[in-house]
Amino acid sequence: MKKAIWILLFGAGIYLCLPCCSSCKQSAQPTPGKLQVVTTLFPLYDFARQIAGDKAEVSLLLPPGVESHSFEPRPGDIVRISKADVFIYTGPLMEPWSQDILKGITNKELTVINASANIQLANEEQQDHDHEAGECTHDHEHEHGGQDPHIWVDPILAQQIVSTIADGFAAKDPANKDYYLANAKTYNEKLAALDTQIRTTLEKCSKKTIVYGGHFAFGYFARRYGLEHLSPYAGFSPNAEPTPRKITEMIETLKKADTSYIYYEELLEPRVARIIAEGAGAKLLLLHGAHNISKQELDKGVTYLDIMGGNLERLKLGLGYQD
Amino acid sequence: MNLIEIKNVCVRYGPIEALCSISLAISAGDYVAIIGPNGSGKTTLFKAILNLLPLTEGSISLYGTDARRFTQWNKIGYVPQVSRNLHKGFPATVREIVASGILSAKSFPRMIFGKDYSKVIKAMETVGVCDLAERLIGELSGGQQQRVFLARAMVNDPDLLLLDEPTAAIDPATREQFYRTLREINTQFGKTIVLISHDASHIGHFAAKLAYLDKHLVFFGGFDQFCISPEMTRYFGPHAQHLICGQHCPMKEKQ
Amino acid sequence: MNTILEALQYAFIQRALVGGVFIGCCCAFLGVFLVLRRLSLIGDGLAHVGLAAGGLGLFLNTQPLWVSIPLVMFASLWILWLSDKADVYADAAIGLVSAVSVAVGIILASVGRGFNIDLFSFLFGSILAISMHEVILSVALSVIVIGMVFLFYHELFAIAFEEEYARVLGIPVEKINKILILCTAVTVSLGIRVVGTMLISSLIIFPAITALQIARGFRLAMLLAAVFSTLSVLIGVFVSYLADLPTGATIVLINFAFFVLSFIIKKMR
Ligand SMILES: [Zn+2]
């Protein structure tokens, strides 16, 4: 028995060391002369690397697969932020931990970019106007005046984020100002094209309601393209349970709405969405909120445009696209 | 035949010696009281007999079989020490407690059937706890609990009864009565009884033999020999013996 | 009444009732012995082990259940070993093992981050989101666990009452203890996936202590624990449906209400 315990402890020790070593190597030595950029969420990471090109080294703070709302930085993350040249975050609403950490950082050279700086956040109340069952709430949103932090899902707001980041880079590294601004312009054109594509596609869709089995991150998106949404969740915490009444209401609405698809969110096991889908005889489709990506997606090199393109394809199915 | 044969037994807990060089034989029909001061190893000796702890030296045989290989536990009835708070709130009835004694005669799968319950009733009758059958064990007085455990020990009709301080939780009046019950069991049913007691003076009236234990076996023999034996005199000094024997010492009464 | 019939039409409610009742009965039967042996916190402790083990499972990219069941079983034996052989009190042993597991879990979740799915969402089930597969697993598990409890009822009873005496009766105490603790480990590791941590630990403790308040007899205590557990799941699911409340928390509160009720009944006697 004793022996077995030692073997287990030894095994666990090795096991714990392996990922540590590999992750240590990743963030090992910064290349001199390049801007060191640390971003929190995946969209910011993707935008920043599009803008920075080869002039900067951009890294994503969130480890792949981690649910972004429940993320808490570990000491190494704080060191990474304090050693960086530029730190980009979505805003105090999305990353409530960021404020305390930024106060504590003594690095005077660190440029902090608040991606939502130039964006008027929408109130949640505005967002869910007139549907009965669709109470889309975030725990932290209630704490922070009920505002929706998911600005990146709207391609128009995304362009503003890109511009904010590019301006920050230009201020930090004036020598490459034109390079950054040119990259941002090119990328914003792609985002504009995405917007047009979404607009024209959704125009050909007969249905206007997104039935969502997770915490609804698509408030800005829905408002931008005149869609409505339904979600059973009060609170996004994975441990929070929706009530049975909410689930049955969703099932009934789904049955009546003759929609045969329900969307689920990325990275969380879609237990509740699955139950609703099964009850209403609907199929499950992913609506990727792009907060963060999985390890698989990271390995594949997925981009924000890929994610949104994929979402659009799946929205076509769920919203009854007719050519 | 010797039901219990203890040969040269030593038990040590680490460096602490609990028992040493004990040799003792208990034969069928005996009524033996083991006495001695607190911490003298009485309970340890019982645990050693019941194979509950390993012997450092020596050997114990039960019914002629080494205790470590002994399996016929139904031939031995054990009555552990009662402590009032141990079973408080335990939801078992007296009948259930007594019935659990049946298990010593069973091997896997241990099931208790209707015919076993007639044994349970008989054992409860013998010790007089029939009227308590549906009471919870925690609600009973110390004396009643002691009787229940005696019934549990007797349910398989064992030849040998081992009782650990059976009168510790009992008031003096009930104590006499309990000893009388035991004597009946010894004489009428022919059971061998070994019990631990802390007072020599009372048990002396009932037990046929006394064993005085103080890590070593100081004395083993009849009560009439107890107060005048050279071993005891050597152990206690010539004039201190009456302190152990008390006023009830039969030798004194004879004088 | 109509609302109850209406609720019963939904497959997920049916599965919640079936899965909940079976897991609940397992917990109730085991709970009576665990509570009497001062091991009632083992549900909570092993749930923490399940977290660490599930993290390891995700890490190894396998079904977390296949990693967590053996690891939780191992941890349960470790608790048993600590409290039996190393002279650590049972509650301290549970605390020790669960603290080590939480630490390993946190380190795993922190150091080795890089999953395809968020750890917590995968580990903690909800009684409303039980899949058919999990219902079948729960029923199979319950048949095994309840079968074990019936098969070893007298041994478990004797050991719970007095371990030393059970040895004198010739009962293989170590083996029976292992069987009890392993049944608990399997129930807990499946239970946290099916009904969630909060429910599993309260379904082990509450029906047992409620039954122990009022039962006059051990068989009765077992029966009452199973009845309280079953009732709490049935009433909990329906009340949460009627009153639009989270189901798991409702079941816990109904269990608590049963406990208060039985406490009052006991005091009135
Ligand atoms: Zn979100």
Side-chain angles (χ1 to χ4, degrees):
Chain A
M1 192 69 189
K2 242 181 199 164
K3 213 174 178 184
I5 292 170
W6 282 115
I7 291 172
L8 185 91
L9 287 178
F10 185 60
I14 291 182
Y15 210 80
L16 292 179
C17 285
L18 283 176
C20 170
C21 298
S22 56
S23 71
C24 294
K25 271 177 211 143
Q26 277 173 15
S27 57
Q29 288 302 311
T31 322
K34 278 194 179 181
L35 222 47
Q36 295 301 314
V37 182
V38 174
T39 64
T40 55
L41 296 194
F42 174 74
L44 306 179
Y45 164 74
D46 197 34
F47 297 161
R49 70 178 172 185
Q50 304 294 342
I51 299 163
D54 56 1
K55 303 289 182 210
E57 259 174 26
V58 184
S59 65
L60 178 58
L61 197 63
L62 276 182
V66 168
E67 207 285 317
S68 55
H69 293 282
S70 54
F71 173 78
E72 290 280 345
R74 48 186 173 156
D77 295 331
I78 299 168
V79 172
R80 256 167 88 191
I81 296 170
S82 65
K83 282 188 177 166
D85 299 310
V86 182
F87 171 63
I88 310 174
Y89 70 112
T90 324
L93 211 55
M94 185 63 215
E95 296 100 345
W97 47 267
S98 63
Q99 299 308 298
D100 288 338
I101 287 174
L102 289 177
K103 259 181 234 155
I105 285 175
T106 49
N107 179 7
K108 293 273 185 300
E109 301 297 305
L110 177 70
T111 301
V112 178
I113 302 176
N114 176 350
S116 60
N118 302 321
I119 294 168
Q120 176 64 47
L121 293 184
N123 282 331
E124 208 187 9
E125 287 76 35
Q126 276 172 269
Q127 181 189 317
D128 60 16
H129 15 269
D130 52 11
H131 31 78
E132 339 85 325
E135 269 171 55
C136 156
T137 48
H138 271 143
D139 279 352
H140 65 95
E141 282 177 359
H142 283 297
E143 286 161 25
H144 298 272
Q147 286 181 319
D148 183 357
H150 303 95
I151 44 175
W152 61 87
V153 292
D154 174 0
I156 306 289
L157 292 182
Q159 292 176 44
Q160 280 187 49
I161 299 173
V162 169
S163 305
T164 308
I165 295 174
D167 290 345
F169 281 0
K172 179 78 186 172
D173 183 16
N176 293 314
K177 184 180 174 186
D178 294 339
Y179 177 80
Y180 296 134
L181 293 181
N183 278 349
K185 190 164 175 281
T186 321
Y187 191 66
N188 272 344
E189 278 159 14
K190 287 184 192 165
L191 287 176
L194 173 69
D195 173 55
T196 323
Q197 193 193 350
I198 294 173
R199 213 174 280 280
T200 50
T201 310
L202 292 182
E203 267 164 19
K204 291 187 189 158
C205 288
S206 54
K207 292 165 200 154
K208 294 290 169 208
T209 304
I210 300 175
V211 185
Y212 201 60
H215 85 277
F216 197 73
F218 282 78
Y220 292 98
F221 185 91
R223 200 150 347 91
R224 176 72 62 198
Y225 302 109
L227 300 172
E228 289 187 14
H229 60 81
L230 283 178
S231 161
Y233 261 92
F236 63 88
S237 162
N239 283 322
E241 281 188 313
T243 68
R245 180 59 69 80
K246 287 250 163 55
I247 295 178
T248 55
E249 277 170 3
M250 285 282 284
I251 291 176
E252 292 311 317
T253 325
L254 203 55
K255 275 184 188 163
K256 275 187 214 122
D258 82 303
T259 313
S260 42
Y261 293 97
I262 174 170
Y263 291 94
Y264 67 94
E265 62 193 302
E266 77 281 5
L267 299 179
L268 296 180
E269 199 200 7
R271 290 183 147 243
V272 173
R274 205 181 283 146
I275 296 298
I276 298 170
E278 179 216 63
K283 290 194 191 74
L284 281 172
L285 284 174
L286 173 66
L287 193 59
H288 200 311
H291 300 73
N292 191 10
I293 54 173
S294 71
K295 196 155 193 312
Q296 263 171 1
E297 290 168 324
L298 182 76
D299 295 342
K300 268 193 246 160
V302 165
T303 67
Y304 171 83
L305 290 173
D306 294 339
I307 291 173
M308 295 309 279
N311 282 343
L312 189 59
E313 284 309 307
R314 291 183 293 268
L315 281 175
K316 272 184 180 174
L317 282 174
L319 298 182
Y321 176 80
Q322 275 138 2
D323 224 347
Chain B
M1 187 181 70
N2 287 335
L3 300 193
I4 305 177
E5 204 166 317
I6 301 168
K7 278 186 195 148
N8 211 14
V9 160
C10 278
V11 176
R12 282 188 208 100
Y13 301 111
I16 300 156
E17 191 168 78
L19 279 179
C20 206
S21 30
I22 307 283
S23 291
L24 188 69
I26 290 163
S27 49
D30 264 355
Y31 187 167
V32 180
I34 298 172
I35 53 176
N38 281 336
S40 60
K42 295 175 301 228
T43 302
T44 304
L45 182 64
F46 258 33
K47 289 189 174 171
I49 292 171
L50 293 166
N51 198 24
L52 292 172
L53 45 84
L55 305 180
T56 318
E57 270 171 45
S59 68
I60 293 175
S61 63
L62 302 169
Y63 293 88
T65 314
D66 190 302
R68 279 165 292 179
R69 287 190 299 275
F70 187 74
T71 51
Q72 300 162 289
W73 293 104
N74 56 320
K75 288 188 172 176
I76 298 179
Y78 170 52
V79 181
Q81 214 168 337
V82 167
S83 78
R84 275 298 281 124
N85 294 322
L86 195 62
H87 308 295
K88 225 180 170 201
F90 197 94
T93 59
V94 167
R95 186 196 301 278
E96 286 173 314
I97 299 288
V98 176
S100 72
I102 294 278
L103 298 177
S104 62
K106 310 247 171 187
S107 57
F108 175 80
R110 295 175 178 82
M111 297 290 163
I112 295 178
F113 304 104
K115 65 175 190 294
D116 293 316
Y117 278 101
S118 58
K119 288 205 233 168
V120 172
I121 290 164
K122 205 181 140 215
M124 290 196 294
E125 274 169 358
T126 311
V127 299
V129 291
C130 274
D131 49 332
L132 303 176
E134 298 308 324
R135 295 281 295 278
L136 294 185
I137 187 74
E139 298 171 348
L140 304 183
S141 70
Q144 289 170 321
Q145 287 191 1
Q146 197 68 65
R147 281 174 181 275
V148 170
F149 293 148
L150 183 60
R152 177 178 66 173
M154 290 182 60
V155 75
N156 274 325
D157 202 20
D159 303 321
L160 172 63
L161 282 174
L162 299 174
L163 299 94
D164 190 352
E165 296 265 11
T167 55
I170 305 183
D171 57 277
T174 346
R175 189 187 314 170
E176 297 287 324
Q177 201 190 338
F178 189 80
Y179 281 142
R180 223 161 279 141
T181 312
L182 281 183
R183 187 159 62 184
E184 244 169 61
I185 291 168
N186 177 241
T187 53
Q188 288 188 10
F189 299 96
K191 307 289 180 202
T192 311
I193 293 178
V194 182
L195 62 82
I196 290 176
S197 179
H198 56 279
D199 66 315
S201 50
H202 278 93
I203 191 62
H205 293 289
F206 301 97
K209 286 179 182 166
L210 288 179
Y212 194 94
L213 203 67
D214 188 4
K215 302 214 164 91
H216 302 257
L217 187 64
V218 177
F219 170 84
F220 182 50
F223 190 59
D224 47 347
Q225 292 299 306
F226 178 64
C227 293
I228 54 164
S229 76
E231 294 96 328
M232 293 301 284
T233 315
R234 213 178 305 130
Y235 186 74
F236 286 103
H239 303 295
Q241 231 164 339
H242 70 277
L243 292 174
I244 302 298
C245 299
Q247 314 154 326
H248 300 285
C249 185
M251 294 314 290
K252 262 189 179 173
E253 279 164 21
K254 266 181 211 166
Q255 285 160 2
Chain C
M1 196 60 215
N2 272 339
T3 348
I4 290 177
L5 287 177
E6 182 191 299
L8 273 175
Q9 286 168 356
Y10 294 100
F12 79 96
I13 298 227
Q14 293 164 7
R15 287 196 303 259
L17 292 174
V18 175
V21 164
F22 274 90
I23 294 261
C25 282
C26 271
C27 291
F29 283 142
L30 294 172
V32 171
F33 296 109
L34 295 170
V35 166
L36 288 172
R37 309 272 311 266
R38 311 277 185 281
L39 284 168
S40 52
L41 286 176
I42 202 165
D44 212 42
L46 289 181
H48 287 134
V49 179
L51 164 73
L56 198 67
L58 276 187
F59 212 70
L60 298 172
N61 240 328
T62 54
Q63 232 330 321
L65 215 50
W66 302 136
V67 181
S68 85
I69 287 180
L71 270 183
V72 172
M73 285 170 109
F74 177 83
S76 67
L77 290 178
W78 192 18
I79 291 174
L80 191 67
W81 180 82
L82 279 173
S83 61
D84 266 11
K85 296 280 155 44
D87 283 334
V88 178
Y89 285 111
D91 54 348
I94 292 168
L96 188 148
V97 170
S98 98
V100 168
S101 312
V102 170
V104 171
I106 286 174
I107 289 175
L108 266 178
S110 168
V111 170
R113 291 185 287 194
F115 302 134
N116 284 322
I117 198 158
D118 194 67
L119 177 65
F120 291 88
S121 81
F122 207 80
L123 291 180
F124 298 116
S126 150
I127 186 161
L128 292 182
I130 306 179
S131 70
M132 200 55 214
H133 175 69
E134 287 165 346
V135 170
I136 293 167
L137 260 180
S138 313
V139 173
L141 166 91
S142 310
V143 168
I144 294 170
V145 168
I146 295 169
M148 285 294 203
V149 168
F150 273 89
L151 191 59
F152 294 106
Y153 168 79
H154 294 292
E155 287 93 328
L156 287 166
F157 167 77
I159 296 171
F161 187 68
E162 208 173 340
E163 192 169 308
E164 193 164 80
Y165 193 80
R167 274 178 222 277
V168 175
L169 291 174
I171 292 170
V173 171
E174 271 80 20
K175 270 187 210 158
I176 305 288
N177 278 345
K178 273 182 195 151
I179 289 170
L180 173 68
I181 213 97
L182 288 176
C183 282
T184 310
V186 177
T187 307
V188 169
S189 40
L190 186 67
I192 50 173
R193 175 84 177 119
V194 176
V195 297
T197 334
M198 176 183 65
L199 256 192
I200 203 79
S201 44
S202 46
L203 282 176
I204 285 179
I205 298 178
F206 273 120
I209 58 170
T210 307
L212 293 180
Q213 293 294 315
I214 51 170
R216 299 194 59 82
F218 202 81
R219 272 168 206 281
L220 196 61
M222 301 275 288
L223 185 72
L224 281 179
V227 168
F228 284 132
S229 170
T230 306
L231 280 181
S232 74
V233 171
L234 297 181
I235 297 175
V237 169
F238 289 125
V239 166
S240 77
Y241 182 79
L242 291 172
D244 196 16
L245 296 167
T247 310
T250 310
I251 294 176
V252 173
L253 285 185
I254 283 172
N255 268 306
F256 181 65
F258 281 156
F259 172 72
V260 171
L261 214 67
S262 70
F263 187 77
I264 292 170
I265 289 173
K266 188 191 178 189
K267 290 286 154 203
M268 301 251 285
R269 276 214 281 252

